[in-house]
Amino acid sequence: MAEPSKGLLRAQEIYQDRSQRALELREQGKKIMGYLCIYPVLEMMTALDIVPYRIFGDMREPITRADAYMPSVNCPFLRSCLDLGLKEKYDFLDGIVTSHICDVGSSLSGIWNYTVRTPFSHHIDTPHTLHETSLKQERGLLEDYRKALEDFTGHKMTTENLKKAIRVHNEQRALVRELYELKKPDPPLISGVETIRVIKAIQSIPVDEGNELLRDVISEVKERGDGPQTKSARLLLWGSILDDTALPEMIEGLDANVVMDDTCVGSRPYFNDVEVTGDVIDGLARHYLMDIKCPRTFRTRDYNDVRKDYMKDLEVRFSYLSDYARDWKTNGVILESVRYCDTHGYDVPGLRDYLDNLGIPSIYLEHDYTEGALAPLRTRVQGFLEIIS
Amino acid sequence: MVLIYFAGIDLGSTMTKVVIVDEDDQTKASVVYHTGAEHRRLANRVMEESLAKANLSIDDISFVMATGYGRINVPFADRQITELSCHARGVASFFPHVRLAIDIGGQDAKGLKTRDGKLLDFVMSDKCAAGTGRFLEVISAALGLKIEDLGDISLRSTQKVSVSSTCTVFAQQEVVNHLSEGVPLEDVIAGLHDAIAGRSARMVNRLKVEPDVVFTGGVAKNVGVVKALEENLGCPVLVPEEPLLSGAIGAALLGKEHVLKALARGETIQTGKRRLEEATFFK
Amino acid sequence: MTTEAKPRALNRLQSMYALRAEVDKMYEGGVEASEEGRPVAWVMLEGWSNAILNAMGVNTVFPENYSSLCAAQGVATPFLERSEAEGYPTHLCGYARTCVGYSSRMVELDGKIPPEAPAGGMPKPILLVASGEVCDARFKWFQSLGRFFDAPVWTIESPYPGLRERLTEGAHERNVNFLINELKAFVAFLEKLLGKKMDWDALEHTGGGTNEINRWRWEINELRKARPGPMNTRDFWSAVTAALFRGAANPDVITKGFERMYDEVKERVNNGIAGINRPEKYRLSFEGLPPWHSLGFLEQLAERGWNFVIESAYRPPRPITIDLSKYSDPMERYVRRRYRRLEDSLEEDYGPEEAGLIIDEILCDGVSRRMGLRHIRDYQVDGVVLHVLLTCRSTSAGLNLLQHRLLDVLKVPSLVIEGDIIDVSAFNPAEALRNAETFEETMDHYRKVRKELGMPW
Ligand SMILES: Nc1ncnc2c1ncn2[C@@H]1O[C@H](COP(=O)(O)OP(=O)(O)O)[C@@H](O)[C@H]1O
Ligand code: SF4
Ligand SMILES: [Mg+2]
């Protein structure tokens, strides 16, 4: 038998055929748990030896079956996920965990239960604000989730195992950050396209295997001589789900490198650790409700303050992005969103105000989650590059 | 190497435009062709024709800059740059004080915020045909009219109708309905022009309209749309003598500037292989 | 030219006009308050904040309603365009974009109400109260208004659990406590903002009054089961806004208004008078939010004998007496009066037997096929119109599934009409009317199917 591939090649293999490893593991008797978006607490799955497997769509596959169950005015990413479910592409899953990311996401969980009927399902009604009460609520919801997983596996989730799981996941977060460090030099040691492949790969395999893959990738890209070339523009990419390399491929085919991102198949889930608190669930609740900076959460400077200061408010919501821009030396930001994503759409004017104020040029691109629809965006991106360089 | 001539080729969705300028930015030749089915792959022909017109051979051209929808696949181009930058540069050569340029071509509409020929910001319409030259082509064909005549016809209108549909197919239905209800042709056409101009005017709002405003692209040849655009924007709109050419002229000038900059840095200029082959973009 | 005046196809309720007028008064009241220096808040439709704000003496105006008013009067488009010019994506909610355009226009006028604003306009707010209830993108909308106003935004959290998760042991009490604490935090914030204390007695009144209104609305809906249906959905939409937006501010007047409406509907039932002036050929239900700019479309459908006898949105809950004697904390009383255990409300709505079946479905599948279909059966509906909205994800997402369930469970077909709450250009009335014509055959067909299956209608 041939040596199993490693590093970037391995990442690309998994990227192209995501379920291969999950299917093997299932053969070996492991439970595979699908999850949608990044809010279903993965540590709890790992603690019970369940393999977390993120649900993605496929922008290269036309949506044919989902039309009957979800109107076309809804997020095409979610529609595509459902479409794949209806086409039995997710039949190997033992269960699915969803959360209240946005309304359509929540609706999808009901529609999925009705139509795809994965054996186990659980929905976490993640609150939307950072109010003190919300944190308490999230904590309670995670207790329910824990119980549901315990019933599902028939095993107790010990605090010890949960702590262990948090440590491996934190290790994964640290490794991803280490990988992103390698994007700071010019040229970056790893391209935006390769990054998506790696992240998508680690979201398709057990966490320890993901960590091994990350270690391999990190040493490989440090050593290789044929990494990305220097380009005129170093870009930061912000936006909604990007689970395909098509967009960064188009961008990096022009005179630009995508050196940093804030998307959920990118840095977003990994840039903060979970604190191992005395009460473990507290730390998890805090992390998943407060630390992950997806626009689905309502953030404000101090929710109890009766005065309001727009610029300071923007600062609280978006300053991490200006840190990224500074540390990764980017000279422009691409704001990207799949059409019909209200969650990201409402943030666009404010985020652009913030960036304008800092003198950071930005452009907003909207696409309908099909590969073909990306071509017309090329002129916009190239025009933007012509402006900033 | 003696620098003399620069060519710009704007391979648009509907029209292919070539301009050759000399070192004093004077236009030596310009040719416009339909990018229609049979000419699709024949950008080289258009190039050859302009060379012939200018009495030059391809080797006399120091730099070929390609732009437009099909820019990436012009095999004899030395470099390609978006039509956004090219129009910005091109219009400034006719109207140095331009702040906002609106280009409505066959397939899309663009608003360009510009200063001193430089592109500062832009907006572009979606892939949808409504609000573009294509929309006028479809409707004029359906009505058996020549596209060149729409402008003059609409000027006779005394009471334009409103065409509210944002979709080409629905708008066509609406037009037919109006006509069957006995609305005079000129009022319907004026309504269409208003719909197109209104769309573009709304789109460029985000760029904050400041004079001078210049209107380019094939649709700017239509006096009816020019008038409607002035009404919608509430300010005068300037149109170059040949609005189709501003992209190609801009491309030629940007090519020249690119060469001069490189030479000033002491670099030698890498030019393409200069074989006049067919464009391969439209398969 | 003279034409014989044919009576309009819709038979409007007289009692509706007074209720509708109350909504216009809301804007006049808001402007007056603002001029007198009294606090005005922009508020979203949701279950909790309205009564609290009114108990605190805050004038509430509702941008969602205001946007629909702009659409109904045909003046929404310039606001939509302005929102686009402000860089807001065009797929966002039509209510939100109208409001963004309005706000941007206000800024242009140094905070003054735009002269073109209908109904006197919405004055500048001192507070924006957002919510994620039903549609959670809404809090993003109010947050983004920060570009235009210095008013702080408070987002009310309320639980929105999955069905099965709602039945989990302990979940209900947790949700109740979440709400209580959340609303108390809101009150504390208001006290700080307004520099005054909450009037808890007033809350008993504003909160209790709404229940009285709901009771009348419920009774009216009960009457609507009659054949022919005595009240068309058009009147429902015209009147419901008074309950939703003025119920807490002016409970006595609104209660009276619905009581009158009850009398009028009852009179119609006694005399066999329908909500349309044509023979009732088809009884329909309207699912989703209506096209506010084209409500006249219902007139055209009524012309064909279509009577929309019921609708899914804003249906009042069954009035029940809840024993609150155990609870002395006024916020707890307020919450427990409205937030019920799923098991309890199912049992009240469906009776123990069917409720049991529904709960079994939920526990087994996480979803229920039957739930939410009761009105279709009770009102003996022949067909359902599903209004899929271009810019509203939340009310549209479940409609296709509903279409399947209606057919599976009740053999009732549905017609999908695409449009929008605000954007006229998303709606093609000619096409919709054509589809409606063919849909009649489908409704006829399923009448037979139901008959063969021995179903009661
Ligand atoms: N003589 C003319 N009179 C009026 N309209 C014209 C004329 N020539 C071209 N057009 C319009 O211009 C459009 C093409 O414009 P152009 O700027 O060349 O587009 P592109 O760059 O996309 O090819 C055509 O669709 C047509 O509507
Ligand atoms: S960015 Fe979108 S897809 Fe990702 S976690 Fe947030 S809501 Fe989900
Ligand atoms: Mg062009």
Side-chain angles (χ1 to χ4, degrees):
Chain A
M1 217 172 93
E3 269 284 290
S5 48
K6 288 176 66 172
L8 287 174
L9 188 61
R10 172 85 180 129
Q12 179 157 11
E13 274 172 22
I14 303 175
Y15 172 81
Q16 264 152 6
D17 182 10
R18 287 187 63 217
S19 58
Q20 44 158 292
R21 185 62 189 140
L23 291 171
E24 276 169 27
L25 291 165
R26 193 163 197 266
E27 274 306 274
Q28 296 165 20
K30 296 255 184 181
K31 298 255 184 265
I32 316 291
M33 185 69 76
Y35 66 97
L36 190 67
C37 274
I38 53 182
Y39 283 82
V41 177
L42 303 187
E43 286 80 352
M44 289 195 175
M45 299 186 202
T46 302
L48 285 170
D49 201 24
I50 299 169
V51 179
Y53 185 86
R54 184 158 175 195
I55 292 181
F56 287 120
D58 183 354
M59 64 158 75
R60 292 163 203 261
E61 159 115 21
I63 295 173
T64 50
R65 301 277 314 276
D67 286 320
Y69 295 97
M70 224 187 203
S72 56
V73 297
N74 284 304
C75 166
F77 161 70
L78 293 172
R79 280 165 26 87
S80 174
C81 292
L82 177 64
D83 195 60
L84 298 183
L86 291 167
K87 288 170 178 161
E88 300 172 7
K89 301 261 168 77
Y90 284 116
D91 275 11
F92 62 90
L93 296 178
D94 294 291
I96 170 171
V97 186
T98 53
S99 63
H100 190 174
I101 27 150
C102 57
D103 276 349
V104 184
S106 294
S107 303
L108 174 63
S109 81
I111 298 172
W112 187 288
N113 282 342
Y114 195 87
T115 55
V116 185
R117 303 172 72 89
T118 306
F120 167 87
S121 71
H122 187 83
H123 182 75
I124 306 173
D125 179 30
T126 316
H128 280 295
T129 66
L130 304 187
H131 298 170
E132 235 173 271
T133 49
S134 309
L135 186 59
K136 218 168 134 199
Q137 176 76 354
E138 169 78 354
R139 204 195 169 290
L141 290 164
L142 294 190
E143 289 286 5
D144 283 2
Y145 173 44
R146 170 193 200 152
K147 176 110 199 338
L149 287 179
E150 286 177 343
D151 290 350
F152 166 65
T153 54
H155 294 294
K156 271 253 153 295
M157 189 186 299
T158 64
T159 306
E160 226 16 73
N161 283 348
L162 191 52
K163 280 189 176 161
K164 232 162 61 197
I166 294 176
R167 276 193 290 271
V168 228
H169 280 276
N170 276 343
E171 193 185 339
Q172 179 149 91
R173 296 184 176 101
L175 285 164
V176 171
R177 292 194 298 263
E178 192 181 332
L179 184 70
Y180 272 74
E181 282 297 309
L182 305 179
K183 293 155 81 70
K184 282 181 176 169
D186 198 35
L189 302 189
I190 177 166
S191 71
V193 170
E194 290 166 327
T195 308
I196 289 199
R197 286 195 198 121
V198 173
I199 302 291
K200 198 166 170 185
I202 63 171
Q203 295 182 347
S204 315
I205 55 179
V207 59
D208 48 348
E209 294 182 21
N211 292 353
E212 194 186 314
L213 176 66
L214 283 163
R215 274 186 216 101
D216 289 346
V217 168
I218 289 169
S219 49
E220 179 183 343
V221 300
K222 274 185 182 164
E223 270 151 40
R224 69 172 167 176
D226 57 348
Q229 307 285 304
T230 299
K231 303 267 187 74
S232 315
R234 294 173 57 87
L235 299 177
L236 165 60
L237 186 63
W238 170 93
S240 69
I241 180 112
L242 256 194
D243 57 357
D244 194 289
T245 53
L247 182 67
E249 228 160 78
M250 181 265 272
I251 299 171
E252 294 187 329
L254 298 166
D255 194 12
N257 283 313
V258 176
V259 297
M260 189 50 194
D261 67 71
D262 175 30
T263 69
C264 58
V265 192
S267 75
R268 197 174 282 170
Y270 304 104
F271 266 51
N272 289 301
D273 280 346
V274 175
E275 209 185 319
V276 189
T277 39
D279 179 322
V280 212
I281 309 256
D282 268 347
L284 287 169
R286 191 168 288 278
H287 174 82
Y288 278 90
L289 182 67
M290 306 194 131
D291 291 350
I292 300 178
K293 293 194 181 63
C294 170
R296 54 81 59 202
T297 305
F298 180 83
R299 265 164 228 286
T300 167
R301 188 167 44 109
D302 166 6
Y303 66 86
N304 268 316
D305 195 346
V306 295
R307 276 159 318 158
K308 146 84 178 270
D309 182 329
Y310 181 53
M311 274 304 158
K312 286 210 179 106
D313 212 37
L314 291 179
E315 181 75 26
V316 166
R317 288 162 63 198
F318 300 124
S319 65
Y320 70 101
L321 291 169
S322 70
D323 296 345
Y324 289 173
R326 182 195 60 222
D327 297 343
W328 274 265
K329 298 191 182 61
T330 65
N331 47 358
V333 183
I334 293 188
L335 285 64
E336 156 278 329
S337 175
V338 61
R339 188 159 301 146
Y340 304 130
C341 174
D342 296 336
T343 308
H344 283 83
Y346 279 111
D347 268 7
V348 169
L351 177 50
R352 293 195 79 182
D353 284 348
Y354 178 70
L355 296 170
D356 283 352
N357 205 42
L358 295 173
I360 301 174
S362 66
I363 184 177
Y364 170 57
L365 304 177
E366 209 170 89
H367 60 92
D368 64 2
Y369 198 73
T370 55
E371 200 201 354
L374 293 176
L377 298 181
R378 180 186 282 115
T379 300
R380 286 167 216 237
V381 175
Q382 201 178 347
F384 177 63
L385 297 176
E386 286 165 6
I387 290 176
I388 65 174
S389 33
Chain B
M1 185 177 179
V2 196
L3 291 172
I4 310 186
Y5 299 105
F6 304 91
I9 173 161
D10 176 359
L11 189 49
S13 66
T14 311
M15 310 287 245
T16 298
K17 286 88 44 176
V18 173
V19 169
I20 297 176
V21 299
D22 66 14
E23 59 192 312
D24 299 322
D25 297 355
Q26 294 305 307
T27 300
K28 299 305 292 177
S30 63
V31 174
V32 177
Y33 257 88
H34 257 279
T35 317
E38 69 273 31
H39 290 287
R40 293 208 144 172
R41 320 185 57 172
L42 303 180
N44 53 329
R45 292 266 175 84
V46 189
M47 188 71 200
E48 270 165 9
E49 196 179 314
S50 20
L51 287 167
K53 249 185 156 174
N55 220 344
L56 295 171
S57 91
I58 186 74
D59 297 325
D60 297 324
I61 306 292
S62 299
F63 203 82
V64 180
M65 183 74 93
T67 190
Y69 176 70
R71 67 186 177 280
I72 29 177
N73 285 348
V74 178
F76 49 88
D78 298 306
R79 198 184 157 92
Q80 46 108 349
I81 209 164
T82 64
E83 59 269 37
L84 300 160
S85 295
C86 290
H87 282 296
R89 181 65 191 91
V91 289
S93 73
F94 322 122
F95 303 109
H97 301 298
V98 53
R99 287 296 162 78
L100 176 73
I102 297 172
D103 176 82
I104 308 185
Q107 182 167 275
D108 58 19
K110 311 175 186 75
L112 316 168
K113 194 165 146 180
T114 146
R115 194 164 210 158
D116 303 328
K118 273 210 163 45
L119 180 66
L120 302 179
D121 198 357
F122 63 88
V123 285
M124 269 175 90
S125 68
D126 280 340
K127 56 189 172 190
C128 168
T132 67
R134 178 87 198 115
F135 176 69
L136 286 177
E137 284 178 44
V138 170
I139 303 236
S140 62
L143 300 178
L145 297 170
K146 283 218 269 278
I147 189 125
E148 298 88 288
D149 300 337
L150 294 183
D152 287 334
I153 295 176
S154 72
L155 293 185
R156 296 202 300 265
S157 162
T158 51
Q159 205 182 2
K160 61 170 185 267
V161 297
S162 107
V163 178
S164 58
S165 293
T166 45
C167 155
T168 315
V169 182
F170 291 167
Q172 200 172 331
Q173 273 175 19
E174 251 186 85
V175 165
V176 172
N177 288 348
H178 281 309
L179 291 174
S180 66
E181 281 162 16
V183 178
L185 182 65
E186 55 267 28
D187 291 343
V188 175
I189 307 276
L192 283 174
H193 291 164
D194 187 59
I196 290 190
R199 269 190 155 221
S200 293
R202 286 195 294 278
M203 182 181 78
V204 298
N205 259 335
R206 200 175 70 65
L207 299 176
K208 312 268 177 290
V209 180
E210 264 180 77
D212 291 353
V213 179
V214 178
F215 182 17
T216 66
V219 175
K221 290 175 88 81
N222 180 324
V223 286
V225 182
V226 177
K227 177 165 168 262
L229 194 58
E230 290 188 323
E231 283 165 12
N232 274 279
L233 290 173
C235 71
V237 165
L238 307 170
V239 180
E241 201 175 317
E242 182 39 279
L244 274 172
L245 292 179
S246 64
I249 291 175
L253 296 178
L254 286 173
K256 175 182 152 187
E257 282 151 23
H258 173 76
V259 168
L260 291 180
K261 240 187 257 159
L263 291 177
R265 284 198 302 261
E267 294 167 14
T268 47
I269 282 297
Q270 294 276 327
T271 51
K273 43 188 167 144
R274 278 302 154 54
R275 270 184 297 122
L276 285 177
E277 289 168 351
E278 290 180 3
T280 51
F281 186 65
F282 309 98
K283 289 209 185 85
Chain C
M1 194 172 72
T2 51
T3 43
E4 187 77 11
K6 193 175 167 193
R8 294 178 66 88
L10 286 170
N11 185 15
R12 308 294 311 254
L13 287 166
Q14 292 312 304
S15 51
M16 169 275 298
Y17 295 105
L19 282 166
R20 195 169 67 180
E22 281 301 315
V23 177
D24 288 348
K25 284 191 200 150
M26 156 163 73
Y27 298 103
E28 289 159 26
V31 173
E32 206 178 286
S34 172
E35 280 164 359
E36 291 166 8
R38 282 181 286 129
V40 176
W42 287 9
V43 188
M44 285 179 175
L45 192 55
E46 71 61 77
W48 306 102
S49 62
N50 196 6
I52 294 175
L53 287 160
N54 277 288
M56 289 285 269
V58 178
N59 271 268
T60 46
V61 294
F62 292 82
E64 285 156 335
N65 173 256
Y66 194 72
S67 299
S68 63
L69 198 137
C70 290
Q73 301 203 9
V75 299
T77 309
F79 293 133
L80 294 178
E81 287 165 2
R82 221 166 219 286
S83 150
E84 196 178 344
E86 289 279 353
Y88 285 75
T90 50
H91 62 71
L92 298 177
C93 166
Y95 290 157
R97 286 183 299 134
T98 308
C99 174
V100 163
Y102 182 90
S103 307
S104 140
R105 178 89 173 103
M106 245 183 157
V107 170
E108 185 182 60
L109 299 170
D110 280 330
K112 287 200 199 59
I113 294 174
E116 72 275 20
M122 293 191 294
K124 214 174 138 192
I126 64 146
L127 169 68
L128 302 165
V129 183
S131 158
E133 198 173 283
V134 182
C135 163
D136 65 11
R138 296 190 299 167
F139 65 75
K140 309 266 338 161
W141 153 20
F142 270 19
Q143 182 171 42
S144 83
L145 292 183
R147 311 174 85 212
F148 309 109
F149 302 120
D150 321 324
V153 190
W154 183 278
T155 293
I156 306 259
E157 278 269 26
S158 45
Y160 198 1
L163 287 174
R164 190 200 280 125
E165 291 72 22
R166 203 171 154 189
L167 294 174
T168 307
E169 202 189 315
H172 179 73
E173 280 307 301
R174 184 177 60 231
N175 290 337
V176 166
N177 284 318
F178 177 36
L179 275 166
I180 293 173
N181 293 327
E182 176 62 24
L183 295 175
K184 282 186 171 169
F186 176 52
V187 168
F189 174 80
L190 284 177
E191 289 180 335
K192 203 162 134 194
L193 177 76
L194 302 169
K196 68 183 218 189
K197 286 282 165 203
M198 173 72 182
D199 182 347
W200 292 104
D201 293 335
L203 182 63
E204 286 274 328
H205 184 64
T206 51
T210 328
N211 286 352
E212 193 54 18
I213 295 166
N214 282 343
R215 198 173 65 75
W216 284 115
R217 292 182 49 221
W218 167 270
E219 296 295 345
I220 293 171
N221 269 2
E222 287 295 295
L223 293 174
R224 293 171 74 191
K225 289 176 182 166
R227 262 178 198 274
M231 171 178 173
N232 189 279
T233 197
R234 173 93 204 241
D235 283 330
F236 169 84
W237 288 111
S238 301
V240 73
T241 46
L244 301 176
F245 302 113
R246 292 307 282 164
N250 209 352
D252 302 334
V253 172
I254 305 296
T255 307
K256 198 81 207 141
F258 280 101
E259 193 182 336
R260 288 213 185 90
M261 182 171 268
Y262 173 84
D263 292 340
E264 189 181 355
V265 177
K266 173 123 201 177
E267 179 79 21
R268 281 192 180 180
V269 174
N270 291 342
N271 296 304
I273 295 171
I276 57 176
N277 290 320
R278 306 284 179 270
E280 177 181 277
K281 280 215 265 190
Y282 299 101
R283 295 166 65 85
L284 291 108
S285 168
F286 195 94
E287 308 281 317
L289 295 177
W292 295 109
H293 45 79
S294 305
L295 282 176
F297 185 63
L298 294 170
E299 172 77 26
Q300 284 168 281
L301 293 176
E303 196 59 63
R304 306 187 63 83
W306 289 35
N307 194 7
F308 284 86
V309 295
I310 191 70
E311 54 288 310
S312 63
Y314 308 128
R315 236 161 337 110
R318 178 189 290 271
I320 37 153
T321 31
I322 304 164
D323 179 15
L324 292 173
S325 58
K326 277 201 291 197
Y327 310 105
S328 57
D329 179 70
M331 189 59 93
E332 179 159 11
R333 292 168 63 84
Y334 178 61
V335 169
R336 290 198 186 269
R337 191 178 288 142
R338 299 167 166 223
Y339 189 76
R340 317 285 326 285
R341 267 161 44 100
L342 180 60
E343 301 91 314
D344 293 347
S345 36
L346 284 175
E347 200 170 312
E348 283 146 19
D349 259 6
Y350 292 85
E353 197 179 321
E354 196 169 3
L357 289 175
I358 291 178
I359 288 174
D360 286 348
E361 280 181 341
I362 294 175
L363 290 176
C364 175
D365 301 330
V367 278
S368 161
R369 275 156 32 102
R370 305 158 189 266
M371 204 174 130
L373 303 186
R374 164 118 204 216
H375 60 295
I376 305 297
R377 194 176 61 199
D378 288 352
Y379 289 78
Q380 306 210 327
V381 163
D382 297 305
V384 174
V385 165
L386 306 173
H387 193 212
V388 171
L389 304 176
L390 180 66
T391 67
C392 178
R393 255 53 71 199
S394 302
T395 62
S396 303
L399 290 182
N400 285 0
L401 184 60
L402 180 65
Q403 185 168 23
H404 290 271
R405 291 168 51 215
L406 284 166
L407 214 52
D408 290 354
V409 182
L410 296 176
K411 308 293 171 218
V412 171
S414 24
L415 171 68
V416 172
I417 293 185
E418 288 185 5
D420 193 49
I421 31 182
I422 300 290
D423 195 342
V424 197
S425 66
F427 179 55
N428 184 344
E431 187 188 77
L433 212 57
R434 266 198 307 281
N435 292 341
E437 235 176 287
T438 10
F439 185 60
E440 290 178 0
E441 286 165 33
T442 318
M443 287 194 284
D444 292 340
H445 170 74
Y446 279 100
R447 254 185 196 154
K448 278 187 225 130
V449 172
R450 286 194 302 271
K451 184 161 263 160
E452 277 160 23
L453 290 169
M455 295 170 85
W457 78 106

